[in-house]
């Protein structure tokens, strides 16, 4: 945890306040949250006359106060994006989920000049989960934020540089070096790159979804919101992430209802979660259901779902809806034909590249290394990789393999290959 004194003041169902809460919590910043429900409280806590003043939320730091700050404002105030500090790195990693953090640990420990670039917060999907129970060495489970925070400490201690709130938005290969372009206009030059950008949540695609995002409707397990929930919570989804969200919420609110599209939780959920959900008296599971609408005035007030069994629409009142219906690969930073992908958009690597993927064929005489993409010297790891098992342990373990086969020869080999690639393409 960072030893900073931070207070955030605002309304609970404010999307901006949610965004900042989520950012602070997932990046391991200790902060005090003050909820404002009346104009008197707005005056008392923030010195603003009305609780609907557009200058909310207010972020009070030790030495300054920020009104309705954007992510770049916060990043600057917390001194988070000072790098890249070196003109060139051996290894640049994009995405600080378990895969990226682990690559940073192993890359730096092999003596490589390593930089890890993360668009939002460390931990990725894992950082949003309240408890990971199947990770080796933590018999009681560990919160994703805690695991991520330990990994960050380890990576930094071993010499990796971490750039937070910086997004990779493009890249090129010039004179054998990879130039990553960040959203803040800066560039990162490296001899090799690991893409560990994971997946993003699949959206509901229902009417009004955008209107209630952060105002009662949340994607993911809601680790930053759980303490604020007070009444009946609905969780959409039947996978492990939805199961964990339901269990986490159930320890805080009187009732949790899971809306599951399939016939039973057993088909999609790990057995230990099925067992724990069965033993939770305040979790109700409704199967064969599909959410069709969200509604309310300023904030979420009700949802409608279709009972697929009897083809009926059912309306329920709730002001808390958490959606965990899976992910899709996050590859918007790369042009469609730059890297070979499978039909679902996941990046193809290693021997999969030799099996005739469409577009971006493997360009060199030698075979690709395991986890190497169709662009020599660019690797993919974790959930973004085609055919990977979507789990923390896999995302982390893959880097060990990478370190054995690629980190050592990386310094010389890829630069010359990249030159060849440029000449022939
Ligand atoms: C709620 C939930 C609970 C889960 N529980 C478990 C569990 O108990 N056990 C288990 O093994 N697995 C669990 N999983 C799955 C596990 O979290 C994932 O398999 C794992 O996080 C994948 O790691 P990753 O590093 O590949 O990708 P991610 O975790 O998706 O991380 C990718 C990172 O890349 C960043 N990024 C994306 N694009 C860019 C860009 N252009 N530039 C810079 N950064 C970028 C993202 O912001 C993100 O931080 C859970 C997942 C969820 C959602």
């Amino acid at each position: 945890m960072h030893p900073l004194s931070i207070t955030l003041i605002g309304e609970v169902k404010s999307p901006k306040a949610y965004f900042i809460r989520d950012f602070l919590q997932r990046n391991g910043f200790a902060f005090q949250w003050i909820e404002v429900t009346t104009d008197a409280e707005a005056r008392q806590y923030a010195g603003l006359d009305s609780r609907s003043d557009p200058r909310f939320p207010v972020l009070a730091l030790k030495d300054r106060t920020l009104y309705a700050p954007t992510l770049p404002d916060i990043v600057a105030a917390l001194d988070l994006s000072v790098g890249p500090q070196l003109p060139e790195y051996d290894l640049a990693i994009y995405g600080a989920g378990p895969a990226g953090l682990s690559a940073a640990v192993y890359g730096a420990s092999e003596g490589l000049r390593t930089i890890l670039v993360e668009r939002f917060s460390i931990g990725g999907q894992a950082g949003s989960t309240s408890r990971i129970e199947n990770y080796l060495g933590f018999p009681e489970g560990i919160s994703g934020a805690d695991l991520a925070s330990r990994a960050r400490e380890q990576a930094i201690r071993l010499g990796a540089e971490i750039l937070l709130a910086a997004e990779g938005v493009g890249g090129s290969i010039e004179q054998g070096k990879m130039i990553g372009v960040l959203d803040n206009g800066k560039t990162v030059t490296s001899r090799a790159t690991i893409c560990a950008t994971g997946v993003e949540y699949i959206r509901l695609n229902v009417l009004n979804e955008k209107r209630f995002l952060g105002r009662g409707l949340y994607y993911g397990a809601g680790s930053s919101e759980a303490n604020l929930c007070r009444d009946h919570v609905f969780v959409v989804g039947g996978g492990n992430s939805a199961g964990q969200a339901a269990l986490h919420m159930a320890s805080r609110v009187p009732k949790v209802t899971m809306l599951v599209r399939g016939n039973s939780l057993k088909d999609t959920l790990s057995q230990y979660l099925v067992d724990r959900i069965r033993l939770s008296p305040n979790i109700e599971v409704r199967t064969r259901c599909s959410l069709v609408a969200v509604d309310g005035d300023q904030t979420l007030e009700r949802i409608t779902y279709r009972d697929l069994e009897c083809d009926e629409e059912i309306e329920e009142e709730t002001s808390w809806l958490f959606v965990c219906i899976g992910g899709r690969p996050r590859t918007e930073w790369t042009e469609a034909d730059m890297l070979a992908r499978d039909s679902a958009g996941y990046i193809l690597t290693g021997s999969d590249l030799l099996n005739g993927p469409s577009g971006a064929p493997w360009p060199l005489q030698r075979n690709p290394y395991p986890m190497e993409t169709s662009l020599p010297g660019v690797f993919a790891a974790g959930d973004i990789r085609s055919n990977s098992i979507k789990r923390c342990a896999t995302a982390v373990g893959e880097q060990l393999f990478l370190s054995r086969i690629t980190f050592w020869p990386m310094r010389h080999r890829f630069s010359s290959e990249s030159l060849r690639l440029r000449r022939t393409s």
Side-chain angles (χ1 to χ4, degrees), residues 94-100 117-121 123-126 128-129 131-134 166-168 196-199 201 221 241 244 272 330 333 381-384 390-393 395:
Y94 292 86
V117 179
E118 166 57 46
R119 58 179 278 280
F120 186 60
S121 68
Q125 299 164 69
S128 73
T129 176
R131 197 139 288 266
I132 297 168
E133 303 207 41
N134 55 0
E167 180 168 1
T197 51
V199 301
Y201 295 116
S241 53
Q244 280 173 343
Y272 73 93
R330 199 189 276 273
W333 46 268
D383 279 11
I384 187 76
K390 313 298 184 217
R391 286 281 186 279
C392 289

Side-chain angles (χ1 to χ4, degrees), residues 5-78:
S5 122
I6 303 174
T7 303
L8 180 64
I9 309 159
E11 290 186 300
V12 169
K13 293 283 179 68
S14 143
K16 277 185 186 163
Y18 162 61
F19 181 77
I20 299 172
R21 271 199 307 271
D22 206 37
F23 177 77
L24 293 175
Q25 147 114 17
R26 289 171 62 174
N27 280 302
F29 288 98
F31 67 100
Q32 184 191 11
W33 161 248
I34 297 182
E35 182 182 346
V36 164
T37 54
T38 62
D39 289 346
E41 284 176 351
R43 275 190 294 279
Q44 181 186 350
Y45 297 124
L48 299 177
D49 282 342
S50 156
R51 72 190 174 108
S52 49
D53 190 304
R55 284 174 289 175
F56 275 116
V58 176
L59 187 64
L61 305 176
K62 235 184 204 157
D63 55 348
R64 73 189 93 169
T65 300
L66 306 179
Y67 294 93
T70 60
L71 189 54
D73 296 337
I74 300 171
V75 164
L78 296 176

Side-chain angles (χ1 to χ4, degrees), residues 100-400:
L101 282 164
S102 163
V105 166
Y106 287 112
S109 70
E110 295 284 327
L112 300 179
R113 294 166 299 165
T114 301
I115 185 167
L116 174 60
V117 179
E118 166 57 46
R119 58 179 278 280
F120 186 60
S121 68
I122 59 152
Q125 299 164 69
S128 73
T129 176
S130 55
R131 197 139 288 266
I132 297 168
E133 303 207 41
N134 55 0
Y135 195 74
L136 190 71
F138 295 94
E140 304 299 321
I142 180 167
S143 84
D146 194 6
L147 188 66
S149 169
R150 288 166 188 239
R152 173 178 52 193
E153 221 177 289
Q154 199 173 8
I156 290 172
R157 189 175 59 77
L158 289 164
E161 179 182 339
I162 300 183
L163 268 192
L164 276 184
E167 180 168 1
V169 291
S172 59
I173 300 177
E174 286 167 29
Q175 294 173 351
K177 292 182 184 151
M178 290 156 207
I179 318 287
V181 180
L182 308 184
D183 59 344
N184 56 16
K186 293 181 181 176
T187 56
V188 175
T189 303
S190 63
R191 290 171 184 261
T193 296
I194 295 179
C195 164
T197 51
V199 301
E200 62 181 338
Y201 295 116
I202 293 175
R203 300 288 163 152
L204 283 168
N205 273 333
V206 297
L207 197 67
N208 290 333
E209 178 180 339
K210 277 199 180 138
R211 200 170 122 207
F212 296 115
L213 211 53
R215 291 191 167 92
L217 164 61
Y218 306 90
Y219 281 92
S223 58
S224 61
E225 299 311 278
N227 286 331
L228 307 174
C229 295
R230 284 166 204 133
D231 36 36
H232 191 172
V233 166
F234 280 75
V235 175
V236 184
N240 280 357
S241 53
Q244 280 173 343
L247 283 164
H248 186 49
M249 299 292 170
S251 63
R252 289 165 168 77
V253 299
K255 186 171 180 190
V256 177
T257 298
M258 289 182 78
L259 299 179
V260 180
R261 190 188 276 270
N263 290 324
S264 102
L265 281 182
K266 263 175 42 187
D267 302 338
T268 47
L269 209 63
S270 296
Q271 189 59 44
Y272 73 93
L273 289 172
V274 176
D275 294 341
R276 287 184 52 201
I277 286 171
R278 279 209 186 112
L279 289 173
S280 302
N282 60 340
I283 301 183
E284 173 196 25
V285 180
R286 294 188 198 163
T287 53
R288 303 273 295 140
C289 289
S290 173
L291 193 98
V292 290
V294 289
D295 209 355
D297 184 14
Q298 298 298 313
T299 59
L300 180 73
E301 291 170 13
R302 73 198 75 86
I303 60 171
T304 308
Y305 66 89
R306 180 175 290 281
D307 183 326
L308 301 170
E309 204 67 43
C310 47
D311 203 21
E312 245 178 47
E313 287 203 349
I314 298 169
E315 198 176 276
E316 289 276 2
E317 283 190 9
T318 184
S319 50
W320 300 100
L321 178 68
F322 294 87
V323 182
C324 307
I325 52 175
R328 71 169 142 248
R330 199 189 276 273
T331 51
E332 65 278 7
W333 46 268
T334 150
E335 286 160 31
D337 56 354
M338 199 168 134
L339 297 177
R341 306 178 204 191
D342 67 17
S343 56
Y346 291 91
I347 297 176
L348 288 164
T349 56
S351 57
D352 287 349
L353 290 167
L354 305 174
N355 301 331
S358 56
W362 176 247
L364 299 180
Q365 293 278 309
R366 70 156 170 87
N367 283 349
Y369 292 115
M371 279 167 267
E372 193 171 18
T373 70
S374 56
L375 213 51
V378 176
F379 294 80
D383 279 11
I384 187 76
R385 203 170 66 75
S386 176
N387 285 329
S388 73
I389 296 167
K390 313 298 184 217
R391 286 281 186 279
C392 289
T394 330
V396 167
E398 283 180 349
Q399 317 310 316
L400 250 185

